[in-house]
Each structure stands twice: as structure tokens, then as C-alpha cells.
Amino acid sequence: MANMAQAIRMALHYAEENLGVTDIFGEDVGAPLGGVFTCTQGLKTAWNSPLDERGIIGAAMGLAMAGHRPVAEIQFCDYIYNTIDLLKLVGNTHWSTNGDWSVPMVVRTPVGSGIRGSLYHSHSFDATMTHIPGWKVVMPSTPLDAYGLLISACQEPNPVMFLEPKALLRVKGDERIPGEPEDDRALSKMIDAPLGDRSQWKPQWPLVEAFAIPIGKGKLVREGTQATVISYGRTMPLCIKAAAQLEEEGLSVEVIDLRSLWPYDWEMIKASVQKTGRVLFVNEDTEVTNFGEHLVRRTVEELFYSLLAPPRLVAGKFVPGIGLADALEMASVPQQNDVTTALRNLCREQP
């Protein structure tokens, strides 16, 4: 099975061959590196930009408004914060021109903890990005979802922020990408650049197929009856493991992968909470003004009389950054035990 980095690479290849993507660019995105996480190796429209995040976003906006379809990369989301004013301009262009101008661009950026990246390579961006209207925002947790969401993003008439959980980029999926070869080693030989001299290397792309996951549609990962846990990105596998562990204790937990943060699948959330009466939201961004807090607020306002317990949130600590030491990183963002304990307590809470 492909890992998430390979899935993103194959989706971008499909998009430049079939969906009109014209420019895939960013710092070290082109040859010879093909991205610090190798997501852009071998792509024919990939090129290297200067080390200039504002230049990257500005160039993408200009290209998109000029009729191109760019996919820009900010190497780590920690460095996207100095482009917030530009992201706001991109997001409001279609609205402020009364629909006269569209901005068909995608911005990809790795987010979150999990690689011991310390202060400048571990931030999250989901809370900040969902504060900027005019963008669609997605964050996959599996290679197949990454492939399908990116193909959808590359067909949108207006901007999409594609958040890549860096801790999952090397994790293989349980479902095969359409057109991916059966042999994992064969896939690696076909599309992974060799170490050392790459000047003569060319990828041998598999015949990947169209597979678009609609933006705004969540995924029911596991059915349950006593509580619902809703997450995305790096913390999604933690929730799946917690539900499996609690099943052995006689507790039934429903698991939803949100996948899209804006628009998000409120109907799926609503149906699940009305069934279970209890809900836990989990992500690793800092807990103050967290995106999960918005979901908690809406759940209370619209589903109050369906609740058997107050909605809960497990999120990152409200600290300026994440330390390099293992103990500091693990104390700063949700870990397996945090999710399992919160779900166990929630399932046992009675009105």
C-alpha cells in the first residue's frame, strides 16, 4: 500500500496530466529534492521557489487569477503565518468581486507534531485557517483520503488549503490507490527517487485513476452506540485505537473522520450525536479558540436536548510551542492515553 506522501505525489501527477494543474512549486519542491517529505518528486510541472513564503502565496494568487491552476507548497505551516493577510485576500477575492474573479489555487502545507520538530516545525494551522473565510480546508488521515481530497481540491474554482499531517506522511494505508500496483516495492521503484545522483532519474508512473472525495463529506470509520469521537489528521488513528481498546472494556464508541474542516459534515455529526448522546472532539491545535470549540458550541446550541453529557474537547496545550524533548512534545499535544481516558470517562458519565 502507498504511504501518504506517495499518495499525494500520485494525485498531483494525475492532476497535472488530467486536471489542468500548471504549476507545482515551493521551496525545494522541484528537482532534485522533490519536497522535504518527497511529495513532489518527479512531477513535470514542479519548480523551486525562493525562500519566500509571501512570494509563494502571492505568485500562486497571481497565477490563478491569470488563468493558471497552481498548487503551491509552504514547506512547514510554521512559516505560513506571515502570509495571513495574503490568505485573506485570496479568500475574499471571489466574494469582493461579486463572482467576477475566481482563484483556483491549492496551498499544501505539512502541519502538527510527531517528528520531534521542536519549536519551528511542529505547529498546527487548522484553528487559524478555519478563521479565514473564502477557503475550503481539508486534512486527511489516510493515503486514500489524501489522494481523493487532493484530486477534488485541484478541481475547485476557488482556493483550497490542504493540510498534511506530517506524522502520517510515511504511514501506509489499508486501502489501495486506484491504479496503484499490488506490489509495494514495485511502487517504490517506480516513483521514489533514488538516493545520490538523480540527474538521469525519471519516474515510471502507474496508471492511476480518477478518485475524488467530495470536500465537505466526513467518513464514518466505526459504528458505536455510547459515545461519538470526531477527529482528523494525526489524532484520528489515536481515536480509532481508543475505540478498539474500549470495546474490550464493553464500551461502544462511534468514530468519525471529519476530513474536511470547511465546509464540514454537520449532518453526519448531528446524526451520530443524536444516536449516542455523547461526543468528544479531538485535535492537536492549541485548546484556546480551537476549531473543536466551535463544534462544541454548535453541538450545545443545536443538539442540547439530545445530549446525555456535556461535549468534551481534547486538544493541544495552550503553550507557545512544542519542545524538542520527547516528554515535552508528548505533554503538549494529545497522546493515546489522553484520548482513551477522555472517552472512557465520557461513556460512563450519566445525566
Side-chain angles (χ1 to χ4, degrees):
M1 301 289 181
N3 61 37
M4 189 179 290
Q6 292 171 324
I8 290 168
R9 201 184 312 154
M10 288 190 284
L12 290 171
H13 164 68
Y14 182 88
E16 66 182 6
E17 293 290 341
N18 300 282
L19 303 178
V21 165
T22 56
D23 298 85
I24 300 168
F25 69 100
E27 298 163 7
D28 298 314
V29 163
L33 190 59
V36 293
F37 293 101
T38 72
C39 293
T40 53
Q41 287 183 345
L43 297 170
K44 68 179 185 181
T45 61
W47 50 274
N48 295 313
S49 75
L51 303 182
D52 177 10
E53 287 78 17
R54 292 181 64 80
I56 292 168
I57 298 300
M61 184 181 185
L63 285 165
M65 294 181 72
H68 296 259
R69 185 175 282 278
V71 178
E73 178 186 298
I74 301 298
Q75 195 169 83
F76 290 88
C77 81
D78 311 59
Y79 302 103
I80 202 172
Y81 284 88
N82 71 339
T83 73
I84 294 295
D85 58 327
L86 298 177
L87 297 179
K88 289 178 69 67
L89 283 173
V90 173
N92 71 26
T93 296
H94 187 70
W95 178 84
S96 64
T97 63
N98 196 30
D100 288 344
W101 289 88
S102 295
V103 191
M105 60 182 272
V106 177
V107 175
R108 301 172 34 252
T109 188
V111 297
S113 64
I115 65 166
R116 304 300 183 261
S118 192
L119 189 62
Y120 295 110
H121 300 85
S122 299
H123 277 94
S124 294
F125 194 58
D126 42 301
T128 302
M129 194 60 221
T130 50
H131 288 158
I132 304 177
W135 286 77
K136 293 185 177 182
V137 185
V138 301
M139 190 190 303
S141 66
T142 70
L144 184 61
D145 284 351
Y147 182 85
L149 287 170
L150 189 49
I151 284 179
S152 289
C154 290
Q155 299 178 77
E156 285 287 328
N158 278 297
V160 179
M161 181 63 68
F162 191 89
L163 304 176
E164 301 170 0
K166 65 175 75 77
L168 302 182
L169 285 171
R170 290 289 177 267
V171 177
K172 292 185 177 183
D174 297 324
E175 302 169 284
R176 200 168 295 281
I177 307 298
E180 175 191 347
E182 296 287 334
D183 187 343
D184 295 354
R185 290 173 296 181
L187 177 66
S188 180
K189 290 180 180 179
M190 293 171 71
I191 69 170
D192 291 344
L195 298 176
D197 181 20
R198 300 174 178 177
S199 58
Q200 303 302 314
W201 176 76
K202 298 290 183 183
Q204 302 296 317
W205 295 105
L207 297 176
V208 289
E209 304 168 14
F211 178 79
I213 293 175
I215 295 176
K217 182 65 176 173
K219 178 169 64 176
L220 180 60
V221 178
R222 181 188 182 104
E223 293 195 19
T225 59
Q226 291 177 272
T228 301
V229 61
I230 299 170
S231 188
Y232 48 85
R234 183 191 72 84
T235 52
M236 191 67 241
L238 305 182
C239 296
I240 296 171
K241 292 177 182 177
Q245 179 179 337
L246 293 174
E247 183 180 36
E248 298 176 1
E249 302 176 19
L251 301 175
S252 177
V253 176
E254 186 147 295
V255 181
I256 291 175
D257 188 342
L258 206 54
R259 300 195 295 194
S260 294
L261 281 62
W262 189 264
Y264 58 86
D265 197 340
W266 176 247
E267 291 305 312
M268 178 174 283
I269 296 172
K270 179 180 178 180
S272 183
V273 174
Q274 287 176 329
K275 178 173 71 170
T276 67
R278 301 176 180 88
V279 62
L280 173 70
F281 299 100
V282 181
N283 65 70
E284 65 175 317
D285 211 337
T286 49
E287 59 192 353
V288 178
T289 64
N290 184 283
F291 178 64
E293 289 185 330
H294 161 72
L295 297 175
V296 168
R297 189 269 302 167
R298 188 171 182 184
T299 299
V300 170
E301 287 185 355
E302 299 188 27
L303 304 175
F304 181 82
Y305 295 105
S306 298
L307 293 171
L308 300 174
R312 304 295 187 190
L313 172 67
V314 171
K317 301 296 189 298
F318 191 59
V319 294
I322 292 176
L324 177 61
D326 286 2
L328 290 175
E329 178 169 313
M330 295 181 71
S332 300
V333 293
Q335 304 298 324
Q336 185 66 65
N337 186 61
D338 300 321
V339 179
T340 304
T341 299
L343 274 174
R344 183 185 293 113
N345 293 339
L346 181 64
C347 285
R348 291 173 176 170
E349 190 167 348
Q350 297 299 324

